[in-house]
Amino acid sequence: MPQFQPKHLTPTQLQPTVASASPRLATVGQFSAVVLIWSLTPLAAVWTVQEIHWAWGLFLRFSLSIPLAMLCLFYCRLPLLLNKNALASYAAGALGLFGSMLFCYMGATRISSGMISIIYGTAPLWSGLIAVFILKREHFLARQWLGLSLAVLGLSLTLGIGSGHIQLDMLGVLYEIIAVLLYVMSMFVVAKIGVHIHPITQTTGSTLLAWLGYLCLLPFFLSEMPQQLPSLQASFALLYSAVFSSVLAMIFYFRLIQQIKPTTVMLITILTPVLATFWGVCFNHEPLHTHLLLGLLLLCAGLFLYAYRNTAQSNAK
């Protein structure tokens, strides 16, 4: 999931990230890669916690992702800044990588991968509510109120509220909602600090701090230490989360928010829960109910209206 939104980066900073003879083709490829990677990430989390305790799973995931992030820094010839402002920005980002992922993996022990992705898909709506009612930065137009209403109705249906056919672990849902709120708060705090750090540097610094946080957690879960090598499925899930979800998808996402319109970027949020639900049904035999399909449709429609409103405002400014 996205954590940081870089601003005012020079072309020379971005050049090493992607080299392609066709910029439009590269953009399409990056967009498709982010959607695919993030749609499979909840399934990887569920597969991980099926065999490995969530604390050890997160520690191993970030232990594997740090060398790749450092390699990206070296390849792009970027320094790991250690001044006061940079460390504050890393800490704000770690709120998402540590706090959000902690509750996400705790929730993954209780609910399906598709449900995790659906709840995370509501992140733009939570950020909008915070911006309107807490930060007082903007106001909702009628179209966004409609989108919000549809999204809330869709989320209620996916959670099985009012239906006797779906038995959902509400503690797992609560964990995921807390995870989304921490993720959104992390983005706001990073933006508030306003340090213009290259996204690869920001991701690497925050990943290192998050890894230290997980390292401090391990003494409380020594009895849960893995006693044998995980299965091929769990090992693949760990490696996938570390390489693709934690590093590559983040780099591609940062490129996209600098190159394409906000509405197009928002399509990632709309498409990801749909694909994640499909992967969960196909590869993890997760149940598929009419309430879930209808709720997912309404949620996507609400997110689309929300994105359209943002674009209209951004073009008017």
Side-chain angles (χ1 to χ4, degrees):
M1 297 295 169
Q3 297 292 338
F4 322 106
Q5 295 192 7
K7 301 177 181 179
H8 310 303
L9 299 178
T10 63
T12 55
Q13 286 177 300
L14 297 173
Q15 186 177 2
T17 306
V18 177
S20 175
S22 174
R24 176 168 297 188
L25 183 61
T27 300
V28 172
Q30 292 164 34
F31 180 92
S32 302
V34 171
V35 172
L36 181 61
I37 291 172
W38 280 347
S39 67
L40 286 166
T41 298
L43 181 60
V46 170
W47 280 356
T48 299
V49 299
Q50 284 177 352
E51 297 186 28
I52 305 173
H53 188 272
W54 58 263
W56 286 94
L58 283 166
F59 173 75
L60 293 172
R61 169 178 171 172
F62 280 82
S63 297
L64 292 171
S65 64
I66 286 174
L68 179 59
M70 297 297 291
L71 182 61
C72 290
L73 272 182
F74 176 78
Y75 174 74
C76 297
R77 300 178 183 177
L78 297 169
L80 182 63
L81 304 176
L82 297 176
N83 57 64
K84 182 179 179 180
N85 291 333
L87 291 175
S89 187
Y90 297 157
L95 176 64
L97 293 179
F98 176 76
S100 179
M101 286 294 99
L102 185 149
F103 281 96
C104 176
Y105 271 58
M106 288 172 62
T109 64
R110 296 175 172 269
I111 61 176
S112 67
S113 62
M115 189 58 60
I116 294 173
S117 184
I118 289 171
I119 296 174
Y120 259 89
T122 63
L125 304 178
W126 289 108
S127 63
L129 290 172
I130 292 174
V132 171
F133 294 105
I134 298 180
L135 301 179
K136 309 292 185 182
R137 290 182 179 177
E138 57 180 274
H139 65 279
F140 282 175
L141 299 179
R143 187 181 292 110
Q144 188 171 28
W145 281 115
L146 176 59
L148 178 63
S149 301
L150 287 175
V152 171
L153 177 59
L155 182 60
S156 300
L157 289 174
T158 58
L159 295 178
I161 297 178
S163 171
H165 301 290
I166 302 177
Q167 299 296 326
L168 201 61
D169 190 311
M170 297 311 296
L171 181 58
V173 172
L174 178 61
Y175 284 155
E176 296 302 334
I177 292 176
I178 295 174
V180 173
L181 290 175
L182 289 174
Y183 158 67
V184 172
M185 288 174 57
S186 174
M187 290 193 297
F188 275 112
V189 176
V190 170
K192 179 68 175 178
I193 294 174
V195 180
H196 305 315
I197 301 176
H198 192 281
I200 298 178
T201 305
Q202 174 73 76
T203 301
T204 303
S206 295
T207 299
L208 285 168
L209 289 184
W211 179 82
L212 290 175
Y214 294 125
L215 181 64
C216 293
L217 276 182
L218 291 187
F220 299 97
F221 300 100
L222 288 179
S223 61
E224 304 292 343
M225 187 190 321
Q227 300 298 319
Q228 58 185 9
L229 291 176
S231 66
L232 182 61
Q233 175 177 287
S235 299
F236 172 78
L238 265 176
L239 188 61
Y240 178 89
S241 299
V243 176
F244 293 95
S245 304
S246 296
V247 180
L248 295 183
M250 297 299 296
I251 296 174
F252 291 156
Y253 175 77
F254 292 137
R255 288 282 295 176
L256 289 172
I257 63 177
Q258 297 160 13
Q259 293 177 337
I260 60 181
K261 296 179 180 180
T263 302
T264 308
V265 176
M266 185 66 71
L267 287 175
I268 295 175
T269 307
I270 299 172
L271 294 173
T272 299
V274 178
L275 276 179
T277 302
F278 174 78
W279 301 135
V281 172
C282 291
F283 298 119
N284 207 41
H285 309 293
E286 296 174 1
L288 186 62
H289 301 281
T290 305
H291 274 67
L292 178 62
L293 291 175
L294 180 58
L296 188 58
L297 178 62
L298 291 175
L299 177 62
C300 291
L303 288 172
F304 179 79
L305 289 175
Y306 179 88
Y308 185 81
R309 197 279 307 183
N310 279 343
T311 302
Q313 276 198 339
S314 63
N315 290 339
K317 292 181 179 180

